[in-house]
Amino acid sequence: MDAAVTALHAPAVRAVLYPFRLILAPLFATTSHDWLRAAWPAFAIVVVHGVWVLRTDTAFEEAAAENAARRARAMAARTHGGRVTPARIGTRRRFRLPLAPQGGPVPAFIWKNTLALGRTIATRTLIAMAIVLATVVFLARALAPDEHTAAGLVTRMALALCALLVVTGPMWVRNDLRLDLMQLEVLRSYPVRGATVVRAELGASLVILGGLQLVLVLLAYAIVPAGESLGMKLPVLSLSDRTALLLVTVVVLPVASALGLLVQNAGALLFPAWMRLGLSRPGGIEAIGQSILTMFGSVVALGLLGSVPAVIGGVLAVLAVSRFGLWGALPGVVVGALLVVVELWWITAWLGRIFERTESVGEAGADAARY
């Protein structure tokens, strides 16, 4: 870190980073006079940047038009006998999954939405996530080489990422109604009950999200060093206790993720104008504010849905743990999970009836998806 700070203060690096220092200078002003003196260079840079962006946009449009004309000329040149041979600029292998020719509608929906996720997620996104994760592991290991073993560090990071997926995963994994509502007419044409459609759409996202969480939990369970605590204030667990926690986690994670996905899909069906539909990625301050409000409403709804199962299951688990150890938490967790399943079944049946009465997502929802 000292070497990095020294490098950042080298003359050549300071010269390159000088415009960025001017941009950030008003944030560190301690008086009004200092702020006014630092604000006008930052404002000037913003104005110059705006002019550059507008000119770049024009140049991009001209380059796109020129490229389209060049491709049209190349296609015409390869036309022979009324048959056009498309240019082989580059082929991308399509993501495929086998599907039996006969079966129920739920596996078909899961198959369809899994293919959609596999074909819409960019390979560079996965590579970037892997690079970021590896970089974080390397830096954490370099900054604290003696605090934990490498296996213990990877275990903690896997559990932290798993917890992050429980909270934010339902907003990231979107191969469900949020992706398919833009094709509502096609969904309505299927000879399938509305409740079945809603449950199948939830199941498609839950398979992906639950699979990722299960892999992370099993990884943490497999590589956690013997005799090492999972946290600075947690006791060292035996193999039996770790196995009990593994089973409890395997029950809790999909249930919590299912509730989160239920809230997101219910919002897409009931309030399509407030949810991001399709593959669009809205931007701007309006989209940020709308996302904050949507997230706040989702957290409130998730808390209301999970409060009763969490209280009942938690009380049973605490009473059993005090007598039987960590294995006593499993029955209480199972009871809470069953209550959540009942909630899911009842709410999806209600959403199914709403889905059957929905003719379109409305102009507001369509505009929000195109925005």
Side-chain angles (χ1 to χ4, degrees):
M1 298 298 293
D2 293 338
V5 172
T6 302
L8 289 176
H9 284 80
V13 178
R14 286 178 62 90
V16 173
L17 297 180
Y18 185 70
F20 302 96
R21 296 172 63 90
L22 292 178
I23 288 288
L24 295 175
L27 300 178
F28 298 95
T30 56
T31 63
S32 301
H33 180 267
D34 293 340
W35 186 88
L36 291 174
R37 187 173 57 183
W40 71 265
F43 180 75
I45 292 177
V46 171
V47 172
V48 173
H49 182 74
V51 174
W52 172 74
V53 168
L54 293 177
R55 296 188 62 180
T56 303
D57 184 60
T58 303
F60 174 78
E61 292 178 354
E62 295 175 352
E66 181 181 354
N67 182 60
R70 184 171 60 252
R71 290 172 62 92
R73 290 193 299 268
M75 291 285 288
R78 282 186 292 272
T79 303
H80 180 70
R83 184 178 180 181
V84 179
T85 303
R88 294 181 176 272
I89 298 177
T91 58
R92 179 181 177 184
R93 187 175 180 180
R94 305 185 72 186
F95 178 70
R96 299 181 182 275
L97 283 177
L99 180 68
Q102 295 180 349
V106 174
F109 270 95
I110 295 177
W111 170 82
K112 174 184 72 68
N113 288 13
T114 303
L115 281 180
L117 181 64
R119 291 176 178 177
T120 54
I121 189 171
T123 304
R124 60 179 178 270
T125 302
L126 300 178
I127 296 176
M129 292 173 61
I131 293 175
V132 170
L133 182 61
T135 304
V136 171
V137 173
F138 174 78
L139 290 177
R141 182 63 178 160
L143 294 176
D146 300 326
E147 184 177 354
H148 306 294
T149 63
L153 181 62
V154 174
T155 299
R156 292 171 178 82
M157 294 195 64
L159 294 177
L161 183 58
C162 186
L164 181 64
L165 286 177
V166 173
V167 178
T168 61
M171 291 179 285
W172 292 349
V173 182
R174 302 172 46 83
N175 57 324
D176 43 38
L177 284 175
R178 290 167 290 177
L179 184 64
D180 286 350
L181 275 182
M182 296 306 299
Q183 305 295 331
L184 181 61
E185 295 80 4
V186 178
L187 289 179
R188 290 287 306 275
S189 66
Y190 295 155
V192 182
R193 295 175 59 247
T196 303
V197 173
V198 175
R199 291 163 186 160
E201 295 279 356
L202 288 177
S205 292
L206 186 59
V207 166
I208 302 299
L209 189 56
L212 291 174
Q213 293 169 346
L214 181 61
V215 169
L216 291 172
V217 170
L218 291 178
L219 175 65
Y221 176 79
I223 68 175
V224 60
E228 184 170 341
S229 171
L230 295 177
M232 297 179 61
K233 298 182 179 180
L234 294 177
V236 177
L237 300 177
S238 63
L239 179 61
S240 176
D241 290 339
R242 280 185 287 166
T243 304
L245 283 181
L246 172 67
L247 296 178
V248 169
T249 306
V250 169
V251 174
V252 170
L253 288 180
V255 169
S257 300
L259 279 179
L261 291 171
L262 175 67
V263 171
Q264 295 295 320
N265 283 266
L269 188 59
L270 299 174
F271 309 103
W274 283 86
M275 304 297 291
R276 179 166 66 90
L277 303 181
L279 298 176
S280 63
R281 293 183 178 275
I285 189 65
E286 299 89 352
I288 296 175
Q290 182 174 343
S291 299
I292 293 174
L293 293 176
T294 303
M295 182 180 298
F296 178 77
S298 300
V299 171
V300 172
L302 186 61
L304 293 176
L305 289 175
S307 58
V308 175
V311 170
I312 296 177
V315 170
L316 293 177
V318 170
L319 294 177
V321 166
S322 62
R323 185 170 182 178
F324 303 104
L326 288 180
W327 282 97
L330 190 58
V333 169
V334 171
V335 170
L338 291 177
L339 293 176
V340 172
V341 171
V342 172
E343 287 184 346
L344 290 171
W345 190 265
W346 180 80
I347 295 176
T348 51
W350 171 62
L351 292 176
R353 292 191 294 270
I354 294 177
F355 173 80
E356 292 172 352
R357 296 194 302 266
T358 303
E359 298 295 336
S360 66
V361 294
E363 296 182 357
D367 293 340
R370 289 193 299 266
Y371 176 62

